[in-house]
Amino acid sequence: MSGLSLATGSLTPTTAEGRHAVDRAEACAPRIAAHAERHDREASYVREAHQALAEAGLLGATVPTELGGLGVSTLLDTAACLERVALADASAALALHMQLSRGLSLAAARKTAGTPGAGEAGTGLLIAMAEGTAFVAGAVTERAAGYFTVRTTATADTSGDWSVTGDKLMVSGAPAATHFALRVRVRTPEGDRLGSAIVTRSPATSVGSGWDGLGMRGSGSEAVRFDAAPVLAGSLAVRGPWGVYDPAALGGRMLSSAAMLGLYLGVAISARRQIAGAGDNGIRQGGDELDGVDRELHAVRETVVGLLAALDRRDAADTAGTLTLALDWQRCRQRLHRLTLAVTDLALTTVGARAYNWSSPVSRLLRDCRAAQFMQPYGPLQTARFVEAAARGEDPELLV
């Protein structure tokens, strides 16, 4: 019989703030799980989970305590929080990730004078996030456009007010978003630049209703149209030239995406619990393969912990070190996805015929883990190319 302790499979937060947030996430889990199957079937947004997270103060988990938030400030503790939510529903965890990653980035900006987001706009938004009145969905992906060649455009009128026009895809949490954080092409007299902006939801923003994804179907990852949508005053940040690769962007991508490792780990642990729920028959069906899965689950968990701890210590000025960490991140992500596929597939086998039904949690987990392979910043083929190039010490510029 396998020696896995399911309790120790989870990530352990390292700070008092992280433990407090995780406790709240665990308390929300039954309410979130109760609606997961219906939202998966309907591909409808997880509104009950969103409400539960808001009432628990978790929409402000990564907002500094002095602004009313829970004060979670590390990727490791953020990942632990996302993992606990993913144990109930990966769709809810994906939507929550949008908010938590924005809190981390805005809080980091406040520490650096002159950094966009450090002023009143960023502070005001963080306060609203802590109050549960602001939910910020990240809007980065565009059809047939890369990270440095986005076509959603920010322009200024004669009075100097900025607005954004364009289309974004797969904006998780869009049905509930009060604000959108966009990567944009900024028109300036000196030429087009890359930039970012916050847009408040208004009649100038149009959220689609056609989301019908393979997995994480309750995440509300809709398309959003912006028609001269006003930019939140003080939120526009202008960076390097449009269309030019910037290796420093990898650091920002890790800050915004690496905590999702907790979400993926949550799916793997959920699948392992489904095997445990099958009782002795499940253990017998799993056999030696189950022992191997358990060993890998423990090993991958430790790898995730080590990686996120290293990212939390990262020196933003160390470009070469950032590439090395990004390589470790993507290797960890590959390994975790392989594990998640293995344990969900084994769960399908050991649980048996009832897992064939759409309403089975195993069915949902299998589709969720397949969908996770396409989460930001790379799909499976891009990930493989990145790892191959970065292992040679080369920056593959895959985000162009």
Side-chain angles (χ1 to χ4, degrees):
M1 181 175 292
S2 170
L4 177 70
S5 169
L6 295 180
T8 60
S10 292
L11 296 171
T12 302
T14 59
T15 68
E17 294 83 1
R19 289 189 290 274
H20 184 48
V22 163
D23 287 345
R24 292 191 180 200
E26 289 175 345
C28 288
R31 184 173 168 188
I32 293 171
H35 302 277
E37 190 276 330
R38 175 172 58 83
H39 288 298
D40 176 65
R41 181 181 296 277
E42 298 173 352
S44 57
Y45 185 62
V46 287
R47 293 194 179 276
E48 296 86 357
H50 187 109
Q51 184 63 30
L53 294 168
E55 291 174 2
L58 287 166
L59 295 187
T62 53
V63 175
T65 54
E66 64 269 22
L67 299 180
L70 301 185
V72 174
S73 59
T74 69
L75 287 168
L76 180 53
D77 286 1
T78 303
C81 188
L82 291 173
E83 179 212 77
R84 298 318 197 275
V85 176
L87 289 173
D89 187 359
S91 291
L94 178 57
L96 179 62
H97 172 260
M98 297 293 104
Q99 180 87 334
L100 299 192
S101 66
R102 187 55 44 192
L104 287 175
S105 61
L106 287 173
R110 291 182 73 244
K111 298 178 181 179
T112 306
T115 300
E120 292 183 7
T123 299
L125 189 55
L126 283 167
I127 292 172
M129 290 166 67
E131 293 172 343
T133 58
F135 182 74
V136 188
V140 176
T141 305
E142 297 182 14
R143 193 181 306 278
Y147 192 70
F148 298 98
T149 55
V150 293
R151 291 180 297 225
T152 300
T153 304
T155 57
D157 60 21
T158 55
S159 63
D161 293 326
W162 290 88
S163 64
V164 168
T165 296
D167 297 276
K168 296 290 187 179
L169 300 175
M170 299 186 74
V171 183
S172 298
T178 61
H179 298 75
F180 298 93
L182 288 80
R183 190 164 178 82
V184 293
R185 180 178 188 169
V186 185
R187 301 289 193 189
T188 75
E190 295 77 27
D192 289 349
R193 311 283 291 184
L194 285 165
S196 61
I198 304 289
V199 170
T200 303
R201 189 167 187 153
S202 73
T205 58
S206 176
V207 176
S209 58
W211 173 242
D212 192 22
L214 167 69
M216 301 192 196
R217 288 167 53 82
S219 63
S221 300
E222 298 284 1
V224 182
R225 170 71 184 172
F226 302 90
D227 292 299
V231 170
L232 181 67
S235 72
L236 180 72
V238 182
R239 299 187 174 87
W242 181 86
V244 177
Y245 179 78
D246 179 5
L250 275 175
R253 297 303 282 159
M254 288 190 288
L255 178 63
S256 65
S257 300
M260 291 180 72
L261 293 171
L263 188 165
Y264 310 145
L265 188 61
V267 173
I269 295 172
S270 292
R272 178 60 182 84
R273 290 179 175 178
Q274 290 296 319
I275 297 172
D280 290 342
N281 182 61
I283 300 297
R284 287 194 299 272
Q285 290 287 336
D288 292 340
E289 187 176 356
L290 181 58
D291 286 332
V293 161
D294 286 347
R295 287 191 295 270
E296 180 67 356
L297 181 55
H298 280 303
V300 169
R301 174 192 175 276
E302 293 308 306
T303 300
V304 169
V305 169
L307 172 67
L308 293 178
L311 289 175
D312 284 325
R313 298 189 301 268
R314 183 181 71 90
D315 180 359
D318 183 5
T319 303
T322 294
L323 180 60
T324 300
L325 279 174
L327 172 60
D328 291 342
W329 170 37
Q330 290 306 304
R331 280 176 166 164
C332 180
R333 187 165 168 257
Q334 282 183 317
R335 185 178 181 185
L336 181 49
H337 284 318
R338 285 194 295 267
L339 166 66
T340 307
L341 288 170
V343 70
T344 51
D345 187 66
L346 187 59
L348 194 70
T349 300
T350 56
V351 169
R354 69 179 183 274
Y356 187 71
N357 192 291
W358 181 277
S359 64
S360 166
V362 177
S363 170
R364 172 162 46 87
L365 289 167
L366 187 62
R367 287 180 282 103
D368 285 348
C369 76
R370 278 296 186 187
Q373 292 179 288
F374 294 90
M375 298 291 110
Q376 293 285 351
Y378 304 120
L381 294 179
Q382 282 185 313
T383 300
R385 288 169 54 206
F386 180 92
V387 168
E388 181 181 0
R392 299 192 300 266
E394 300 173 3
D395 196 330
E397 303 187 8
L398 285 176
L399 296 179
V400 174

